[in-house]
Amino acid sequence: MENFPVDAPVTPFDRTMMQRCIELARKALGRTTPNPLVGAVIVRDGKIIGEGFHPAAGQPHAEVFALRDAGEQARGATIYVNLEPCNHYGRTPPCSEALVKAGVAKVVVGMVDPYPKVSGGGIDRLRAAGIEVVVGVEEAACRQLNEAFIHRILYQRPLGILKYAMTLDGKIAASSGHSKWVTSQESRNYVHQLRSACDAVIVGSNTVLADNPYLTSHNPKLPNPLRVVMSRHLNLPMNANLWQTSQASTLVLTEAGANPDLQQWLKKKGVEVVELQLLTPGQVMAYLYERQLSSVLWECGGTLAASAINDGTVQKVLAFIAPKIIGGKSAPSPVGDLGLATMTDALNLERVTWRQLGSDYVMEGYLPIRD
């Protein structure tokens, strides 16, 4: 990716406007894949005269909505956008040309397009047209906003997020298997919002059997992820809540020839069933990439979580920690056997942050990217 320095003094007003772009972009969380989240703000004489965001794939881009909002006032104005304006024809015309045609005087960009073939092309086109371009304002926040999009572009896989809730002594359920509820209502609400921002959520057979989850956002105003069940033998209950597909779609991934009777029954219920040659986390993520998904939330048990980590399909971890102690030698833990024999082999998370939710704490961190 080409490096474009911030070539003009960045003011607090610039940062505020870029944060507004991010705020606008977030209105489309969970709706834009495989496209990024983008917001745009047009300013003249220190006042906002136009705003817009990209609402969904196939819809006009943020810059177009902002230009429509500003009208003729856009000529000679400054536009802020959190991602470099595109310079190629896709389902919509290039935004760089729309900005040139509108006669804007200055474009402030949060971050360069991560796609190597087009990276910097929009900026070059704008500068060639005599438009002042400033790059890299609030870049860290802009990259955080579109981390799933960036990961998908660079690694040809969706971003994998492992989420689990555990007690202070590292248990996700009691020895009996009872797990409702480990964490507080505030934490559960946060998870519902997290699901709405992801393209898919994955569980295994054991989670369906033990918890009978819904895996939805629990909010009719928010989108629901594609609910994915990994089951090699299709040993699944017929009364699972996941088979109710009026509010959210369900995809069952299995191996060839598994339980054909249940396959037919599920399909009649509106559940999509797909047979993969090999049912592994890596193969599942490759398949979901082909379906153009960008972010996948793993809400599975410890065995599948360990397999996902070992397969390199988890990049980010969200651990919700409740101030409870349940004990029990056989009580399940969030991550199963990783084959690590010594503490020096432990996986060290990077870029770790903590925040409090009710009485709980949530830790967010990233596993090192594997070469």
Side-chain angles (χ1 to χ4, degrees):
M1 192 187 304
E2 191 170 346
N3 234 347
F4 288 88
V6 175
D7 48 6
V10 177
T11 67
F13 181 79
D14 291 333
R15 299 189 186 282
T16 299
M17 290 301 98
M18 193 59 70
Q19 287 291 343
R20 176 59 181 162
C21 291
I22 293 171
E23 186 182 340
L24 288 166
R26 289 180 63 84
K27 291 185 176 184
L29 273 171
R31 304 181 197 273
T32 64
T33 193
N35 290 356
L37 294 158
V38 185
V41 176
I42 301 177
V43 173
R44 177 188 281 279
D45 299 327
K47 293 182 180 178
I48 294 174
I49 57 171
E51 290 186 333
F53 65 93
H54 178 51
Q59 294 291 312
H61 291 184
E63 297 95 321
V64 174
F65 283 110
L67 288 171
R68 286 178 188 172
D69 194 28
E72 282 301 313
Q73 293 185 84
R75 190 162 299 277
T78 296
I79 183 167
Y80 294 82
V81 60
N82 58 284
L83 182 68
E84 175 186 359
C86 63
N87 192 45
H88 61 281
Y89 283 87
R91 282 185 277 191
T92 58
C95 291
S96 56
E97 296 301 329
L99 294 174
V100 171
K101 186 178 177 181
V104 300
K106 181 177 178 180
V107 180
V108 182
V109 176
M111 63 169 283
V112 176
D113 191 319
Y115 190 48
K117 289 184 180 178
V118 299
S119 181
I123 292 166
D124 289 342
R125 173 67 185 97
L126 294 169
R127 286 180 171 159
I131 297 171
E132 181 187 354
V133 183
V134 177
V135 184
V137 176
E138 293 291 277
E139 183 174 0
C142 293
R143 296 184 72 83
Q144 179 72 33
L145 171 73
N146 275 311
E147 63 176 354
F149 170 75
I150 296 168
H151 184 86
R152 184 180 189 279
I153 291 293
L154 296 182
Y155 300 99
Q156 290 78 55
R157 288 290 183 274
L159 180 75
I161 306 166
L162 174 62
K163 166 261 157 186
Y164 55 82
M166 70 178 191
T167 59
L168 199 57
D169 54 337
K171 308 297 183 182
I172 60 173
S175 297
S176 65
H178 185 264
S179 62
K180 287 189 167 72
W181 296 101
V182 174
T183 51
S184 65
Q185 186 64 54
E186 289 92 337
S187 291
R188 299 200 295 277
N189 290 343
Y190 184 86
V191 170
H192 298 159
Q193 293 173 24
L194 176 64
R195 287 178 190 152
S196 75
C198 291
D199 301 321
V201 54
I202 294 183
V203 294
S205 301
N206 290 340
T207 298
V208 178
L209 288 161
D211 296 343
N212 195 16
Y214 287 93
L215 303 180
T216 63
S217 65
H218 294 260
N219 186 335
K221 295 180 181 179
L222 295 177
N224 285 310
L226 173 66
R227 302 174 300 181
V228 181
V229 180
M230 289 177 61
S231 180
R232 186 167 283 118
H233 304 294
L234 284 189
N235 53 332
L236 298 166
M238 297 178 76
N239 64 342
N241 292 320
L242 293 176
W243 312 152
Q244 300 172 22
T245 56
S246 59
Q247 301 299 318
S249 300
T250 301
L251 165 67
V252 173
L253 296 176
T254 188
E255 292 186 347
N259 200 339
D261 290 340
L262 184 62
Q263 284 201 39
Q264 289 304 313
W265 184 85
L266 287 171
K267 289 174 183 177
K268 288 178 182 176
K269 294 282 286 183
V271 175
E272 186 181 1
V273 181
V274 173
E275 294 181 341
L276 298 180
Q277 199 64 37
L278 195 63
L279 192 67
T280 65
Q283 291 297 315
V284 167
M285 291 295 256
Y287 172 74
L288 295 178
Y289 170 78
E290 293 300 325
R291 288 182 64 139
Q292 296 197 306
L293 303 192
S294 297
S295 56
V296 172
L297 185 63
W298 293 81
E299 285 201 54
C300 50
T303 302
L304 185 51
S307 181
I309 291 172
N310 276 333
D311 250 14
T313 61
V314 170
Q315 286 74 46
K316 183 175 180 177
V317 177
L318 280 171
F320 294 78
I321 304 165
K324 300 176 180 177
I325 295 174
I326 189 69
K329 285 184 179 180
S330 61
S333 299
V335 180
D337 187 10
L338 291 173
L340 305 177
T342 66
M343 194 57 70
T344 52
D345 295 328
L347 303 176
N348 287 303
L349 270 62
E350 303 167 347
R351 291 178 282 150
V352 174
T353 57
W354 293 83
R355 63 178 291 192
Q356 189 167 3
L357 286 169
S359 58
D360 307 325
Y361 272 90
V362 58
M363 186 228 65
E364 178 179 308
Y366 295 81
L367 288 167
I369 295 289
R370 299 184 186 180
D371 296 327

